[in-house]
């Protein structure tokens, strides 16, 4: 039997923490190893508990979820993934959380199946990035005007095909959809995506999408 996915839940509401703990512990391949009451507590306990995935509330007193996410994902050699929890799918802080290193976001009213699947997707190194999420990301990007944009010169490190793949990733296409669009094998796309992440020093597809918009490689319609 494979090792269960270790999850830590960071939320200032006890009912949320306990509810998610019950739901996730009911899954045979997931184990909740701890809870945190705020961002600072989450940062401290990540080092102690070594979770694979942290479910991180955005809005908490003291150190909030965005700052905590940045600290956790920015730690040297950090392998933990952060899945941001939010009450509203158009939460103004979602974009900043993704920029801080989160691998995606999940609504607090998600079903038990959606919650478990989100944890599995993120733990596997994928990003919780659907076309709908991408549209929201684009909307927020356009509103904020892409502050602190990284140097576009980094794109020059990519080959022409890798640049094309990055553009499609930023539009929310899956590997299978990109493969069909480019008429190549899905494994070829996976290889390209892997090389893109390594060359640009990015964690996952979500970070790649943020990078593509911030550098201007992909622009929202009308901007």
């Amino acid at each position: 039997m494979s090792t269960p996915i270790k999850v830590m839940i960071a939320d200032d509401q006890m009912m949320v923490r306990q509810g998610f703990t019950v739901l996730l512990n009911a899954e045979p391949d997931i184990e909740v190893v701890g809870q945190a009451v705020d961002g600072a507590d989450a940062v401290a306990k990540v080092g102690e508990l070594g979770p694979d995935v942290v479910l991180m509330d955005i809005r908490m007193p003291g150190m909030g979820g965005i700052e905590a996410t940045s600290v956790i994902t920015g730690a040297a050699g950090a392998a933990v993934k952060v899945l941001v929890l939010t009450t509203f799918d158009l939460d103004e802080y979602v974009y900043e959380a993704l920029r801080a290193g989160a691998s995606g976001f999940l609504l607090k009213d998600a079903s038990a199946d959606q919650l478990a699947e989100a944890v599995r997707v993120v733990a596997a190194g994928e990003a919780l990035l659907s076309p709908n999420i991408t549209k929201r990301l684009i909307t927020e990007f356009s509103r904020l005007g892409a502050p602190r944009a990284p140097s576009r010169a980094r794109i020059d490190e990519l080959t022409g095909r890798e640049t094309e793949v990055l553009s499609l990733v930023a539009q929310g296409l899956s590997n299978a959809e990109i493969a069909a669009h480019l008429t190549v094998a899905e494994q070829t796309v996976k290889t390209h995506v892997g090389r893109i992440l390594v060359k640009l020093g990015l964690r996952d597809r979500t970070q790649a999408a943020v990078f593509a918009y911030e550098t201007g490689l992909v622009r929202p319609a009308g901007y």
Side-chain angles (χ1 to χ4, degrees):
M1 182 175 180
S2 60
T3 304
I5 300 168
K6 296 185 293 183
V7 175
M8 188 179 79
I9 301 169
D11 196 293
D12 62 318
Q13 298 181 47
M14 182 175 64
M15 290 184 64
V16 172
R17 297 196 306 271
Q18 293 182 339
F20 279 9
T21 295
V22 170
L23 293 175
L24 290 174
N25 277 339
E27 300 293 328
D29 59 337
I30 299 174
E31 175 188 5
V32 176
V33 296
Q35 301 179 10
V37 299
D38 56 33
D41 193 24
V43 170
K45 288 183 176 176
V46 161
E48 299 172 9
L49 303 174
D52 301 305
V53 177
V54 175
L55 296 182
M56 181 79 73
D57 186 23
I58 286 184
R59 307 183 190 207
M60 294 183 286
M63 180 187 286
I66 293 175
E67 184 179 355
T69 295
S70 181
V71 173
I72 291 171
T73 60
V80 62
K81 303 294 192 303
V82 176
L83 185 58
V84 172
L85 298 172
T86 179
T87 305
F88 306 103
D89 58 358
L90 292 179
D91 193 311
E92 62 184 305
Y93 296 113
V94 166
Y95 177 80
E96 285 298 320
L98 294 177
R99 293 190 73 256
S103 293
F105 75 90
L106 184 71
L107 294 180
K108 286 187 177 180
D109 63 357
S111 69
D113 288 343
Q114 290 173 328
L115 175 63
E117 184 58 25
V119 167
R120 294 185 185 106
V121 168
V122 171
E126 296 295 330
L128 205 63
L129 185 65
S130 70
N132 284 340
I133 292 175
T134 302
K135 289 176 183 176
R136 293 169 188 145
L137 179 65
I138 294 170
T139 299
E140 190 65 8
F141 169 88
S142 303
R143 187 181 71 80
L144 295 177
R148 304 183 299 281
S151 171
R152 186 179 171 87
R154 292 175 62 192
I155 294 180
D156 294 337
E157 301 173 25
L158 305 179
T159 65
R161 178 46 63 94
E162 288 168 351
T163 301
E164 188 174 12
V165 169
L166 174 58
S167 175
L168 295 172
V169 165
Q171 294 173 51
L173 274 66
S174 67
N175 285 345
E177 291 169 335
I178 293 174
H181 181 80
L182 299 178
T183 318
V184 298
E186 186 173 346
Q187 184 56 50
T188 300
V189 175
K190 291 181 180 178
T191 299
H192 284 313
V193 171
R195 289 174 178 168
I196 290 167
L197 297 181
V198 170
K199 287 184 178 181
L200 298 180
L202 303 172
R203 292 172 58 85
D204 55 32
R205 298 170 75 92
T206 305
Q207 300 304 300
V210 172
F211 178 89
Y213 285 109
E214 290 189 334
T215 55
L217 175 65
V218 178
R219 293 185 180 279
Y223 288 84

